[in-house]
Amino acid sequence: MFPKKELAQLVISACHQFDVGIVVISPGSRNAPLTIGFSNHTEIETLSVVDERCAAFFALGIAQQKQKPVAVLCTSGSALLNYYPAIAEAYYSNIPLVVISADRPKHLIDIGDGQTIRQENVFENHILFSANLIENPKFISRNSQLIGEALQIATSQKGPVHINVPFDEPLYETVASLKDFHFPKISSSFLDNSNIDYENLAKIWNASQKKMILVGVNYPDAELHSLIDLYADDDDVLIFTETTSNLHHKKAINSIDQLIFSLNDSDFISLQPDVLITFGGMIVSKRIKKFLREYAPKHHWDIDERTATNTYFCLSEFIQTNPIDFFRNFNTKIIKIKSNYQSKWLSVRDERRQKHTEYLSKIPHSDFKVFEQILESVPNNSLLQISNSAIIRYAQLFTINKTLDVFCNRGTSGIDGSTSTAIGAAFANKKQTVLITGDLSFFYDSNALWNKSIPTNFRIILINNSGGGIFKIIPGPSTTSAAKYFETPHCLTAKHLCLMFGFNYQKAFSSEMVQKELKEFFKESDKPKILEIFTPSEDNDQILKEYFKYIQ
C-alpha cells in the first residue's frame, strides 16, 4: 500500500536510493501520503514521536551515532517550526538530518487556510540546502534534481537539509506499488584539498618553539587517536583535550580550566603558543577562549571539512580537509625539538590533579561530589551523553574513563533536547547508554520520555539542585534583584514522570545513598531507569568556587 501521489512516491524513492534508512514521523494529516509510503516500505524503518521538537532531537541522536542521514517527517504549519532547535544543533555539529515537511499548495498560503504558514526556506540561516517542491507532473525532473541534491549534500557535507513537499487533497488514496525514478548524481566530494601547502606548514611548525593542539567535540576514531599520539611524545607540543574530544593520552591536558584558572600574566606568556592547531567542534572552556584571544598565537590553523572557525580572532590558515587526512600528510614532515614547554605544563597539571583529589576527599554531598561518584560508577565501554550548562562544565574537571564514548549537544549548547538526543543515541547504539543531566534540562525536555523506542538499558542520572545552578556559578546573575528569573527555583521531582512513562525510579539525598543506589542502578531491568540525586542548592556554588581557590 503506497501513496497514489507521484510527488510522495518520488520523495520515498529518493530516501531509499540515498540510504535514508530511518524516518521519525510525527502525526498529522497533510503528511499522510508520505506517512503511508514510508511506513509500508520494507527497507525503511519508521518510528513515531508525537512532539516534533523531541522527534527532531531523537533523530539527531540516531544520526549522531550512525553517522548517516536520518529523516524527520511532519505535517504542515507550526509543527515544522518545532524542528528548528535540532536543525540548528545539526548545522553546527555537522550531523546529517533530513527534514521533510508536508505543506499546503501555494494557492492556499496566506488566504486564511488552517495550519498554514510560509514554509519555503523557513530555515535558510541554518540549513545546507532547501528543496522546495511543486506538486505538478510537469516538474518531476526539477523535483528529482532538488531531492537528489538535498540528500547527497546531507551525506557529503554532514548537515541538515530541508525538503518541503506541498500536497493538495485528496491525501489518502493508495496504489499497490512504487514507480521507478532516476535521481541525478552530484559530486560526492565538495573539497579541494590539493592546495594545502604541507611543506610550508611544516616549515613554520618545525621552526616554532611552542606548539599547541586544541581538540573540541570529536567522534571517537582509533586512527585519529594514533595520529595524534605522535605529538604527545614531542617536548615542544601541548595537547589540550575536552571531555567531548574522545581523545586520551597520559600526556594530554584534559581538564583545561583546572590548569589555567589561576594563572597570572607571566604564566600566560609562558603558555602562549607560537602555533595553534584546532579541530573538532565547539570548545566548552571559556577560559581557554579568553586566554587565546588575549595571548594570541602567531599562527592559528583550523582544520575542518566545511567551514573555518575563527574562535580566537587570529585565524591565519583554514585547512579544508578532515583531520585524519591532514595528520597523515603532516606527520611525515615534522621534526621534534628539545624543549621544556610540555614538561613544565604537565608538571603544573599533575600538581592540580593532586589537589583536585585532595579537595574531593574533604567535601560534603554536593554537585561536585556527586560527579566524582557517578563517573567512577559508569560501566566500561558505555556511551555517555552529557547535558549542557553546569553539567558539562563539571564533567570538564574530571579525567573521563577512556573506554567511554562521550557526546554532548555543543553545536548550540542548548539545554532543550539533551534527553531526546540521548534516547536517539541509545536507540542507535546497542551499548549501555547513560545520560547525566541537570534538572532544568531534564524537565524542559520531559516529553522525550514519551517514546516507545527507549531501550531498557537506557539510564538517566538526574542531578536535581532545584534550579539553574549555572547562574550561581557564573558572575552576574546572583548580584541582581532578578536572580529568581535566572535560577528559576522549583520543587519538581521525576518520580511521577517515571510512573507515567514507564521508567524505574531511584532517588538519593546523600553521598552514602548515592553510593548505594549506584550499585543497583546499572543492573539489568525490564524498564529504563532514572536515578534522581538531590543536592543542596545553597552549597553547590560555594563548594565549586572554593575548589578553584584550593587547587592554585
Side-chain angles (χ1 to χ4, degrees):
M1 189 167 71
F2 292 100
K4 184 177 180 180
K5 286 185 174 293
E6 185 177 66
L7 186 56
Q9 291 198 24
L10 191 69
V11 173
I12 295 161
S13 296
C15 287
H16 177 232
Q17 289 187 37
F18 291 108
D19 202 25
V20 178
I22 297 177
V23 181
V24 181
I25 301 173
S26 293
S29 186
R30 189 60 52 167
N31 57 336
L34 290 166
T35 299
I36 291 167
F38 280 126
S39 61
N40 282 287
H41 199 294
T42 57
E43 296 182 50
I44 294 177
E45 183 175 8
T46 51
L47 306 165
S48 177
V49 177
V50 173
D51 184 322
E52 285 89 3
R53 182 170 58 80
C54 295
F57 277 110
F58 176 62
L60 180 99
I62 299 172
Q64 175 200 82
Q65 293 303 305
K66 290 188 173 292
Q67 295 287 286
K68 58 190 294 187
V70 174
V72 286
L73 169 63
C74 71
T75 190
S76 64
S78 61
L80 175 62
L81 302 182
N82 289 293
Y83 285 159
Y84 213 145
I87 289 169
E89 179 62 35
Y91 183 81
Y92 288 110
S93 289
N94 298 339
I95 295 176
L97 184 68
V98 177
V99 176
I100 305 173
S101 57
D103 197 0
R104 258 62 171 176
K106 278 196 173 183
H107 68 271
L108 294 179
I109 307 297
D110 287 337
I111 65 162
D113 205 42
Q115 221 169 323
T116 306
I117 64 171
R118 300 170 189 174
Q119 293 183 197
E120 292 188 0
N121 305 316
V122 72
F123 305 121
E124 63 181 341
N125 288 330
H126 299 96
I127 207 81
L128 296 183
F129 190 83
S130 295
N132 297 300
L133 309 185
I134 299 173
E135 189 183 21
N136 188 319
K138 295 179 182 179
F139 293 95
I140 186 169
S141 177
R142 171 193 177 276
N143 289 335
S144 298
Q145 175 74 35
L146 289 173
I147 299 168
E149 191 169 354
L151 295 177
Q152 290 171 83
I153 285 173
T155 300
S156 63
Q157 297 188 32
K158 298 178 183 176
V161 296
H162 178 206
I163 302 172
N164 192 55
V165 194
F167 292 126
D168 213 339
E169 295 181 358
L171 302 171
Y172 292 88
E173 293 181 322
T174 59
V175 293
S177 60
L178 287 172
K179 294 181 182 179
D180 290 326
F181 296 97
H182 171 72
F183 299 93
K185 295 289 197 302
I186 64 172
S187 173
S188 60
S189 175
F190 63 100
L191 298 177
D192 179 14
N193 49 23
S194 60
N195 61 351
I196 299 174
D197 190 347
Y198 287 101
E199 296 295 338
N200 185 56
L201 294 174
K203 182 178 179 182
I204 294 170
W205 180 269
N206 293 333
S208 301
Q209 298 293 316
K210 299 187 294 182
K211 282 97 86 169
M212 182 181 293
I213 298 174
L214 175 58
V215 189
V217 176
N218 186 65
Y219 196 85
D221 190 289
E223 183 178 2
L224 180 60
H225 210 297
S226 65
L227 289 167
I228 296 299
D229 282 351
L230 172 72
Y231 297 88
D233 293 321
D234 193 338
D235 291 344
D236 60 337
V237 179
L238 284 176
I239 301 174
F240 281 74
T241 61
E242 294 213 307
T243 300
T244 52
S245 72
N246 289 297
L247 288 175
H248 308 273
H249 197 282
K250 63 182 179 181
K251 291 185 178 179
I253 295 170
N254 63 320
S255 296
I256 298 173
D257 288 358
Q258 190 183 87
L259 178 83
I260 70 174
F261 179 82
S262 59
L263 299 183
N264 57 35
D265 288 345
S266 176
D267 294 327
F268 281 133
I269 291 170
S270 177
L271 181 61
Q272 181 181 19
D274 299 318
V275 179
L276 169 68
I277 295 179
T278 57
F279 66 91
M282 301 293 187
I283 294 294
V284 176
S285 172
K286 287 187 176 181
R287 291 187 175 92
I288 195 70
K289 292 175 191 174
K290 186 174 187 291
F291 159 60
L292 290 171
R293 288 167 182 170
E294 293 182 4
Y295 299 85
K298 296 174 186 174
H299 307 275
H300 173 205
W301 307 339
D302 185 56
I303 306 167
D304 191 87
E305 289 183 281
R306 209 169 80 195
T307 56
T309 307
N310 190 15
T311 305
Y312 313 106
F313 311 138
C314 59
L315 185 66
S316 55
E317 192 79 28
F318 170 42
I319 302 171
Q320 192 172 14
T321 188
N322 67 69
I324 289 178
D325 284 347
F326 172 79
F327 287 111
R328 276 180 189 156
N329 287 283
F330 192 62
N331 287 10
T332 63
K333 303 179 184 303
I334 62 173
I335 59 175
K336 297 180 181 180
I337 299 174
K338 286 290 182 183
S339 169
N340 70 344
Y341 183 56
Q342 185 187 89
S343 60
K344 173 184 176 178
W345 290 105
L346 290 183
S347 176
V348 176
R349 179 204 68 177
D350 292 342
E351 291 174 10
R352 298 277 199 272
R353 283 183 175 179
Q354 179 61 36
K355 290 184 176 181
H356 169 91
T357 303
E358 291 172 3
Y359 186 78
L360 280 164
S361 69
K362 300 175 181 180
I363 61 174
H365 177 64
S366 57
D367 285 351
F368 201 10
K369 185 66 178 178
V370 162
F371 246 92
E372 178 188 39
Q373 294 176 289
I374 293 170
L375 292 176
E376 287 176 350
S377 71
V378 176
N380 286 344
N381 302 304
S382 294
L383 178 65
L384 181 60
Q385 294 273 335
I386 302 175
S387 73
N388 274 302
S389 203
I391 298 298
I392 187 61
R393 285 171 172 78
Y394 274 113
Q396 292 274 101
L397 300 175
F398 291 85
T399 298
I400 301 291
N401 179 346
K402 65 182 180 181
T403 73
L404 305 181
D405 294 339
V406 183
F407 294 88
C408 176
N409 284 350
R410 290 306 297 176
T412 59
S413 307
I415 69 167
D416 41 4
S418 297
T419 308
S420 295
T421 303
I423 291 171
F427 174 84
N429 192 322
K430 302 311 176 186
K431 289 183 176 183
Q432 167 80 74
T433 302
V434 182
L435 168 67
I436 307 175
T437 184
D439 48 299
L440 292 192
S441 180
F442 174 79
F443 291 119
Y444 190 96
D445 195 24
S446 60
N447 265 1
L449 308 184
W450 189 6
N451 188 323
K452 294 181 179 179
S453 301
I454 303 175
T456 57
N457 69 345
F458 180 58
R459 300 289 183 269
I460 298 176
I461 300 177
L462 166 57
I463 302 175
N464 189 340
N465 54 28
S466 304
I470 186 68
F471 296 106
K472 290 185 176 181
I473 297 170
I474 62 176
S478 61
T479 64
T480 74
S481 60
K484 67 178 181 180
Y485 297 104
F486 294 103
E487 297 168 23
T488 56
H490 64 84
C491 298
L492 302 175
T493 83
K495 181 177 179 179
H496 295 290
L497 285 171
C498 288
L499 185 64
M500 182 166 66
F501 290 117
F503 275 65
N504 287 336
Y505 177 72
Q506 296 174 230
K507 61 183 177 180
F509 298 89
S510 67
S511 294
E512 294 74 23
M513 289 180 71
V514 170
Q515 207 66 30
K516 177 185 174 185
E517 294 299 325
L518 283 170
K519 288 179 181 178
E520 297 294 320
F521 187 62
F522 294 106
K523 291 180 180 178
E524 289 187 14
S525 68
D526 60 352
K527 295 179 181 179
K529 296 181 182 180
I530 292 178
L531 169 58
E532 186 168 21
I533 303 172
F534 297 89
T535 62
S537 60
E538 65 276 8
D539 299 334
N540 287 323
D541 59 312
Q542 196 57 41
I543 288 171
L544 184 62
K545 289 171 183 175
E546 289 297 324
Y547 165 76
F548 284 110
K549 293 179 182 177
Y550 187 89
I551 64 173
Q552 292 182 29

